[in-house]
Amino acid sequence: MNGGLLVAGTTSDAGKSVVTAGICRWLVRQGVKVAPFKAQNMSLNSFVTREGAEIGRAQAMQAQACRIEPTALMNPVLLKPGGEQSSQVVLLGRPVGEMSARGYHGGRQQRLLGTVLDCLTELRSRYDAVICEGAGSPAEINLRRTDIVNMGIARGARLPVLVVGDIDRGGVFASFFGTLALLSPEDQELVAGFLVNKFRGDVSLLEPGLDMLRGLTGRRTYGVLPYRHGLGIDEEDGLRVSLRGAVRESVVAPPLGEDVLRVAVCAIPLMSNFTDVDALAAEPGVVVRFVDRPEELADADLVVVPGTRGTVRALRWLRERGLADALARRAAEHRPVLGICGGFQILGEHIEDEVESRAGAVPGLGLLPVRVRFAREKTLTRPSGRALGEPVEGYEIHHGVARVTGGEAFLDGCRAGQTWGTHWHGSLESDGFRRAFLREVAAAAGRRFTPAPDTSFAALREEQLDRLGDLIEQHADTDALWRLIESGAPRGLPFIPPGAPA
């Protein structure tokens, strides 16, 4: 078997990432050797592979669904936004420079098509099947000429295409039809059919519409996936919790002790790797919220300043909103604050940045004895060690080089009182370390909170991935999906006018 499939979507956030992961987990449970692939990803939520390559975290999650190690081949192009109109371009796991959207789509992107096709070919030589994820919508006709992630990769590799639509948003039939009708005849030949995502209610009420859609397009619907809470793992395109005060999706469980712990995460600009707090949200009795006002820190037992692609910009934002003063008061009162990566740099005394913001010398919040200088070379590592008496692992993605001048050692950073800082992403996924850290936080906050002794973040992640596989197995036509992956799009699919403009 040398199969493949492109999972496209009618919109961003239609569910492509989780559907791709679900198909991968379903296939691997059938004994298929499978890998994920996304030619080009735009995300601030990234991961470091064992060979030191930076890729989108969604592809790392999909690799876990396949029960394999992630590699740079699975996400050859990663774009990390640094402002409204520019992004850092990461090619095969390494940054190669900053580029405006106009410059990238004006020629650079199309020149990368050969590179991404080579990566896909290499994966297909190693695995029985490769499940590819698209980006945005394949019907973005303004970008089709330079597309390398949707129909460009489908045409280049002759992949069948499954279009996912989020029915919870409404208008899914119009979205399916309109997406197809805006593709060229050559692109339409590869669109095999549709998958409805996030359906609530009685499927029998939807079936007449699906029959009419097939009559209009000549294409079948391969499944109707029901709405499920808590499946938004490792999102890539920004915060699903972007509304102020929203609570991070987590397993609902009562606290083991008498009190809950309240965690407030500062929703700073260009926030990166916000999934660092998922391990906290997975703990029974820990409530995680994203906030943007100083008064929302008042009842928090722990405040997290997360990573960011714009350290100096986020620092300015914290000052403008009054959050910097609120953090300083917390530190003076010995109330817990944790800075991760860019958040760690913000908590330091001084930042010298001629690379990311080019702002030069900028004073930090002065809550940790740390001085930061931005280097052009990006640090991409998978460190491990011990802290608080427990083994811990993480990963680092940063240009800032920190020089710690005091305080107590904490991972690669330091702590001063109840203010903690580290560059290590993912450290809270180490169960023993997370429990030890939460005990420290609870004691400092005066909360009678007890971490659950048996919470395994890795096991919870596996359960989530199995739930995604169950969705595909139970609610998709897996026989038809198997034929599609193995044999490609059916022949003789009708053209739906008007097609893409010339």
Side-chain angles (χ1 to χ4, degrees):
M1 180 180 182
N2 184 19
L5 175 70
L6 175 70
V7 179
T10 57
T11 62
S12 294
D13 202 31
K16 297 184 293 292
S17 295
V18 294
V19 167
T20 299
I23 293 173
C24 287
R25 177 50 61 101
W26 162 65
L27 283 171
V28 81
R29 294 195 306 206
Q30 308 308 307
V32 178
K33 189 179 177 185
V34 60
F37 179 79
K38 184 163 186 174
Q40 172 195 294
N41 205 340
M42 177 172 281
S43 177
L44 289 173
N45 199 18
S46 59
F47 184 75
V48 179
T49 67
R50 292 206 180 277
E51 72 265 33
E54 185 180 9
I55 66 172
R57 189 163 170 115
Q59 278 60 66
M61 175 268 292
Q62 291 161 357
Q64 187 175 350
C66 298
R67 298 179 178 146
I68 58 176
E69 276 291 322
T71 73
L73 290 174
M74 297 172 187
N75 179 206
V77 182
L78 173 63
L79 305 178
K80 302 193 72 175
E84 294 300 321
Q85 297 186 12
S86 68
S87 294
Q88 183 181 67
V89 180
V90 179
L91 180 61
L92 294 173
R94 295 287 173 181
V96 294
E98 296 279 334
M99 188 166 289
S100 68
R102 180 180 292 273
Y104 183 70
H105 289 287
R108 177 64 182 270
Q109 182 183 34
Q110 197 170 26
R111 291 195 296 273
L112 293 174
L113 180 60
T115 299
V116 300
L117 284 171
D118 287 345
C119 291
L120 178 56
T121 299
E122 178 65 22
L123 282 177
R124 295 185 81 175
S125 72
R126 299 181 187 181
Y127 294 92
D128 300 329
V130 177
I131 307 303
C132 307
E133 180 188 343
S137 163
E140 291 168 351
I141 53 179
N142 55 315
L143 303 177
R144 176 61 186 92
R145 182 178 61 84
T146 58
D147 170 47
I148 64 171
V149 66
N150 289 307
M151 300 313 299
I153 196 77
R155 287 265 292 277
R158 301 307 298 173
L159 293 171
V161 179
L162 184 68
V163 180
V164 178
D166 179 358
I167 197 170
D168 198 49
R169 295 182 173 191
V172 74
F173 293 117
S175 297
F176 282 146
F177 186 88
T179 296
L180 184 64
L182 282 176
L183 301 180
S184 69
E186 295 81 4
D187 287 349
Q188 287 193 26
E189 286 178 4
L190 296 173
V191 178
F194 313 107
L195 185 78
V196 177
N197 193 27
K198 301 182 187 177
F199 179 70
R200 306 173 192 249
D202 184 346
V203 176
S204 66
L205 299 176
L206 190 65
E207 288 171 350
L210 300 178
D211 291 340
M212 285 186 275
L213 182 66
R214 185 165 190 169
L216 288 166
T217 66
R219 289 156 175 87
R220 59 172 300 159
T221 297
Y222 282 78
V224 178
L225 307 187
Y227 189 97
R228 292 287 186 268
H229 288 283
L231 293 180
I233 53 177
D234 292 358
E235 297 101 333
E236 62 181 34
D237 294 325
L239 280 175
R240 185 182 306 277
V241 288
S242 58
L243 294 176
R244 181 179 54 78
V247 179
R248 186 81 181 147
E249 289 182 338
S250 61
V251 175
V252 178
L256 193 65
E258 297 180 41
D259 291 339
V260 300
L261 274 187
R262 297 173 176 84
V263 178
V265 184
C266 296
I268 56 179
L270 298 175
M271 191 187 317
S272 62
N273 289 71
F274 54 86
T275 48
D276 282 331
V277 299
D278 281 357
L280 295 178
E283 282 285 347
V286 176
V287 179
V288 178
R289 297 189 313 139
F290 289 81
V291 303
D292 63 2
R293 298 188 305 195
E295 58 267 28
E296 293 174 305
L297 306 189
D299 67 345
D301 302 306
L302 169 67
V303 174
V304 178
V305 186
T308 174
R309 175 79 167 91
T311 300
V312 170
R313 176 177 168 182
L315 177 59
R316 183 169 60 247
W317 181 88
L318 288 167
R319 287 184 165 126
E320 289 171 350
R321 294 207 164 226
L323 286 159
D325 291 338
L327 289 168
R329 287 194 296 270
R330 285 188 67 91
E333 295 166 0
H334 298 283
R335 301 177 65 198
V337 176
L338 171 64
I340 302 175
C341 199
F344 167 43
Q345 297 166 8
I346 284 168
L347 298 180
E349 298 169 341
H350 180 83
I351 297 170
E352 190 75 31
D353 181 12
E354 299 292 349
V355 176
E356 190 177 77
S357 68
R358 297 181 176 85
V362 178
L365 296 187
L367 307 184
L368 287 174
V370 174
R371 300 179 71 83
V372 176
R373 177 185 57 80
F374 274 68
R376 297 200 176 277
E377 188 73 17
K378 182 184 280 192
T379 297
L380 296 168
T381 63
R382 290 276 292 270
S384 62
R386 292 186 68 85
L388 304 179
E390 298 286 346
V392 57
E393 297 180 350
Y395 56 99
E396 295 185 49
I397 306 170
H398 55 91
H399 284 280
V401 178
R403 181 166 63 89
V404 177
T405 60
E408 300 176 43
F410 176 65
L411 301 176
D412 70 316
C414 66
R415 88 179 264 194
Q418 290 300 324
T419 301
W420 315 63
T422 176
H423 276 128
W424 289 23
H425 295 290
S427 62
L428 294 168
E429 295 179 18
S430 298
D431 298 325
F433 168 73
R434 181 180 65 254
R435 286 191 279 269
F437 177 69
L438 289 176
R439 281 192 290 269
E440 292 256 2
V441 169
R447 297 289 185 189
R448 290 174 293 184
F449 170 85
T450 304
D454 55 354
T455 300
S456 167
F457 185 76
L460 290 172
R461 172 55 53 85
E462 278 296 302
E463 288 175 14
Q464 281 188 308
L465 292 171
D466 276 333
R467 289 174 67 198
L468 294 179
D470 292 343
L471 279 178
I472 299 300
E473 190 168 332
Q474 296 167 11
H475 301 282
D477 186 338
T478 52
D479 288 340
L481 196 56
W482 184 280
R483 289 193 298 271
L484 185 62
I485 294 168
E486 191 173 31
S487 304
R491 296 181 181 276
L493 294 170
F495 170 69
I496 306 302

